[in-house]
Amino acid sequence: MKELGHFINGQQVAGQSGRFADVMNPALGEVQAKVALASKAELDAAVEAAAQAQPAWGATNPQRRARVMMEFVRLLHRDMDKLAEALSSEHGKTLPDAKGDVQRGLEVIEFCIGAPHLLKGEFTDSAGPGIDMYSMRQPLGVVAGITPFNFPAMIPLWKMGPALACGNAFILKPSERDPSVPLMLAELMTEAGLPHGVLQVVNGDKESVDAILDNPTIQAIGFVGSTPIAEYIYGRGCSNGKRVQCFGGAKNHMIVMPDADMDQAADALVGAGYGAAGERCMAISVAVPVGDETADRLIEKLVPRIEKLKVGPYTAGADVDYGPLVTAQAKERVLGLIDTGVEQGADLVVDGRNFALQGYESGYFIGPSLFDKVTPDMEIYKQEIFGPVLSTVRAQTYEEAIGYAMDHEYGNGTAIFTRDGDTARDFAARINVGMVGINVPIPVPLAYHTFGGWKKSGFGDLNQHGPDAFRFYTRTKTVTSRWPSGLKEGGEFHFKQMD
């Protein structure tokens, strides 16, 4: 049985705790490897080594740090197929989806090549008699990222890229469910020229997470995962004096106006609702058609598209639409929520519970499900299902429709499909959700903008990637200087007004 350890000081090392977690092949429902779960002592040792390596890296010219990022981009392109294969085998994504996972992370690394410009401070000459003022952006020191199973390449890259480009050392604690790609990324970063110890990958569970939260050397933590864990990490990390950003769950609504192109809306909903088996925090899980006629037309368009979806392992060809869920527990949870939806009175238009795939009976596959006439008091509406389930909530007016999205406790992403510019503009201005799409179902910003939700989808003041990432991973120091030519005799005992 293959054993996966950690990446410490530029090389893969075996775990020392004696504890392991199973790494599954979700298409087969079989264990394919074991990953070591680090102890607190192992985590602390990795942090100590990172702290020793960071000062030299932080003092490295930002342009030279950017060259490491440039070479890393080349290596990511070189090994794209290898990374996608490893990702698909542990997560279950299709190969095109796995390559997209890597690509969206790679784009953030490309943005980080511009770090020298983003790290420039401000300067004011002659702020007073012989006085100049300037600011510097400096690295925090050692920072950490705790990343989820659903994007084992993209989100680690979103975290490590800006952190390293800013001159920090970075501790990555990836999901133990699909740890191979993060370890491969660390190897590629070292091959690109990153000094040993600046990037450490420590696999683990809650013991490692708590060790990160409590370690006094770690100055900042970035997290992506479920909202309950986000709240826990944010609260404990902040109470320990750390800078923390946490991104949690979602329940993303797509409002469909009567004037929308219904074919376009249906295609968008199928891709956004069922892609990656719905295991995306930006998945559209609630369709809100305005008016019963609109709802009927939308359901009529959706059903044949959903019934044609091809579900299978990533090895079954490029035409597979989505693969299995990540674990048996995830599958059972989704099936239980579908049962609850039926029990609470929703109309299950397409039922994916009895899906079976010959030769993969032990895999964690679920067929696509579509609910109609869902109401806000139902569990399938309240909870993030994180599976291939789309709910339809009928609204009679635009105000009612926008109210559903605004009243929900989550505020990650939302979209509206309409041909009316006034409606779209009003929606974008009023909605209390962090990322908005207008005729775009999954409004994930490009790397040079920032990604982040509102309400219980995001905790902290700064978002992921884009300019916010460089603010998060640096602190500003402001210097006021006056040289001898500007000195005057005698002491000053009050703040003198500037001339």
Side-chain angles (χ1 to χ4, degrees), residues 124 127-128 130-136 477-483 498:
T124 301
I131 296 175
D132 300 326
M133 302 182 73
Y134 60 95
S135 64
M136 299 183 285
K477 179 184 290 180
T478 305
V479 180
T480 303
S481 67
R482 182 167 64 182
W483 291 96
M498 292 293 184

Side-chain angles (χ1 to χ4, degrees), residues 96-130:
D97 200 15
K99 289 180 180 180
D101 190 327
V102 178
Q103 179 64 36
R104 291 310 293 264
L106 185 155
E107 290 166 4
V108 169
I109 303 299
E110 289 176 330
F111 178 71
C112 292
I113 294 171
H117 172 72
L118 293 162
L119 293 173
K120 288 191 302 184
E122 300 170 324
F123 185 89
T124 301
D125 69 302
S126 300

Side-chain angles (χ1 to χ4, degrees), residues 234-297:
Y234 187 72
R236 185 160 171 171
C238 288
S239 69
N240 284 330
K242 303 183 189 304
R243 185 178 293 183
V244 186
Q245 60 172 195
C246 291
F247 299 94
K251 196 70 177 180
N252 305 317
H253 298 65
M254 187 176 116
I255 294 169
V256 182
M257 298 299 293
D259 66 341
D261 182 319
M262 213 54 61
D263 286 306
Q264 181 190 39
D267 287 338
L269 278 168
V270 170
Y274 301 104
E279 291 179 321
R280 298 189 289 205
C281 68
M282 288 296 286
I284 292 292
S285 53
V286 182
V288 189
V290 176
D292 285 331
E293 181 183 352
T294 305
D296 291 342
R297 290 165 55 210

Side-chain angles (χ1 to χ4, degrees), residues 383-404:
Q383 294 192 37
E384 181 179 32
I385 298 176
F386 229 57
V389 183
L390 179 64
S391 297
T392 305
V393 178
R394 297 182 175 224
Q396 298 307 310
T397 65
Y398 165 71
E399 289 297 330
E400 182 185 354
I402 195 173
Y404 287 131

